[in-house]
Amino acid sequence: MRITMLGGHASGKTSYLGALWATVRGAAPDAPVTLSEGRLPDSSTYLDECEHALLAGESVERTKLDHGERIDLDLTIDGSPVLVTHLDVAGETYEAALEQRSVAPTLLTELAQTEAVMLFVHPRRLRLPHSITDARRLIAVAGEPLEQHSQAEPESEPNDIDPVDVWKHAPTAVHLVEMLQLVVEQRTSGRRLNVALIVSAWDTIDQGPEWGTDCQPGPWVQANLPLLHQFLTTNDGHIRWKVFGVSAQGCNFDDKDAVDAIVEQPYDQRTIVALDGGWTRDIAEPLRWFVREWTEHPT
Ligand SMILES: Nc1nc2c(ncn2[C@@H]2O[C@H](COP(=O)(O)OP(=O)(O)O)[C@@H](O)[C@H]2O)c(=O)[nH]1
Ligand SMILES: [Mg+2]
């Protein structure tokens, strides 16, 4: 089964890969998730660097680790062969794909063949849509009535507006829906696409020790990314999906006390995956869900 990691810049993809690597690299041969035939991927040095940063309580973003290429992890998950691919394509590649529907060949090949997508979103880095009510409030604060604005000469003709700019400032949910649409359009398989929506940095949303009691991942998406939630719900003929709240770091690395509390623990005791109605420390839970879905629903 082929799984592709997608998401905007700084959505938590590299941290997830580093945490997954830290768990599978030293896994016992009979563990549920292992490297296939113990095969090291080409990017193992890069993954080791990510792991070391995470173990030391240092953000992979801050260390400016970047490989600018693809990472393929050949895994065996609950007995099934799984290929997890992270294409660290430049932001512009996605922009071109999403805005002009012109897809780079590497991305095209990947999306054509993928069977499952992990779609990452960082809950503290959302660009939210502005409602008319918000606009009215802002204008009220600025002391200018709305009518004056609508009657004023527009600063630029609508044709002067750069679509790239509009795209860049579009709400996060719009980008994520467009990414999913791109995958659905490019895929060659008739099988339903499996989507694991990964809300990363879940430790910034919920508190332990019992995760998922204050806030659950599904309702969080419904409340904070309603457009995406609606898209997934209405397209369940093409897409089978589930939301996971994932803390790949185990805590907020800016919180020194929190880091001190976990830094001595083995990595597989740090990570948190919250589900609607439960939680686990198994960082591979979204991948294992893919395998279960794949086996249970052959079409
Ligand atoms: N608090 C917290 N922050 C996280 C977690 N995972 C990632 N981040 C932060 O989110 C930012 C982006 O993460 P990164 O993995 O580099 O995202 P990428 O650009 O999608 O690869 C970094 O500043 C990370 O420290 C997490 O589990 N908890
Ligand atoms: Mg990255």
Side-chain angles (χ1 to χ4, degrees):
M1 169 175 213
R2 297 180 72 108
I3 299 171
T4 310
M5 296 171 69
L6 294 177
H9 172 69
S11 54
K13 302 180 295 298
T14 304
S15 305
Y16 183 86
L17 261 183
L20 182 64
W21 179 246
T23 312
V24 297
R25 196 183 46 80
D30 59 349
V33 184
T34 54
L35 284 172
S36 290
E37 296 151 19
R39 206 164 351 128
L40 286 181
D42 295 341
S43 330
S44 59
T45 313
Y46 168 75
L47 289 166
D48 284 342
E49 285 169 352
C50 292
E51 179 187 345
H52 291 151
L54 290 172
L55 281 171
E58 211 177 315
S59 160
V60 296
E61 188 184 33
R62 203 160 296 163
T63 54
K64 298 263 180 282
L65 286 175
D66 218 343
H67 56 97
E69 49 182 75
R70 70 182 286 146
I71 294 177
D72 285 320
L73 267 188
D74 252 316
L75 303 175
T76 302
I77 301 185
D78 298 315
S80 298
V82 168
L83 178 68
V84 180
T85 299
H86 173 39
L87 275 182
D88 218 0
V89 294
E92 302 80 61
T93 311
Y94 277 121
E95 259 158 45
L98 297 169
E99 192 223 321
Q100 299 148 20
R101 287 292 189 267
S102 125
V103 189
T106 42
L107 189 57
L108 183 70
T109 315
E110 179 62 31
L111 299 186
Q113 296 175 355
T114 197
E115 277 131 359
V117 164
M118 297 182 88
L119 188 64
F120 285 77
V121 58
H122 192 305
R124 299 290 177 198
R125 299 188 186 213
L126 299 181
R127 268 185 320 279
L128 296 172
H130 297 293
S131 65
I132 292 174
T133 322
D134 292 340
R136 280 188 198 281
R137 265 196 220 118
L138 282 173
I139 288 161
V141 170
E144 291 177 47
L146 188 61
E147 287 69 26
Q148 276 187 15
H149 277 261
S150 54
Q151 283 164 10
E153 281 293 306
E155 275 178 22
S156 58
E157 290 299 318
N159 287 348
D160 294 345
I161 298 170
D162 182 351
V164 174
D165 241 23
V166 174
W167 172 253
K168 270 199 185 121
H169 297 110
T172 306
V174 173
H175 281 203
L176 297 177
V177 166
E178 285 290 301
M179 268 188 200
L180 285 178
Q181 264 172 343
L182 186 70
V183 181
V184 171
E185 277 170 20
Q186 299 302 329
R187 275 181 86 227
T188 48
S189 160
R191 256 174 110 151
R192 265 204 271 186
L193 175 71
N194 289 297
V195 174
L197 181 58
I198 308 290
V199 183
S200 64
W202 189 252
D203 51 272
T204 64
I205 296 294
D206 195 12
Q207 301 291 312
E210 283 308 315
W211 299 84
T213 37
D214 286 348
C215 180
Q216 299 199 354
W220 185 90
V221 170
Q222 196 168 3
N224 291 276
L225 294 163
L227 176 77
L228 177 63
H229 188 268
Q230 200 180 351
F231 175 82
L232 289 166
T233 309
T234 50
N235 284 285
D236 63 356
H238 308 289
I239 297 174
R240 199 173 278 120
W241 61 285
K242 189 173 167 79
V243 190
F244 299 85
V246 173
S247 176
Q249 294 182 176
C251 73
N252 186 350
F253 285 168
D254 293 331
D255 179 345
K256 197 176 168 308
D257 291 343
V259 174
D260 287 347
I262 65 162
V263 81
E264 297 299 333
Q265 288 172 14
Y267 214 85
D268 59 3
Q269 292 305 307
R270 291 194 199 178
T271 47
I272 294 135
V273 177
L275 312 151
D276 290 345
W279 68 283
T280 167
R281 293 235 171 253
D282 184 3
I283 190 77
E285 177 55 28
L287 305 173
R288 297 178 77 182
W289 173 74
F290 282 140
V291 171
R292 287 198 298 275
E293 286 294 312
W294 189 249
T295 320
E296 282 167 22
H297 305 278
T299 55

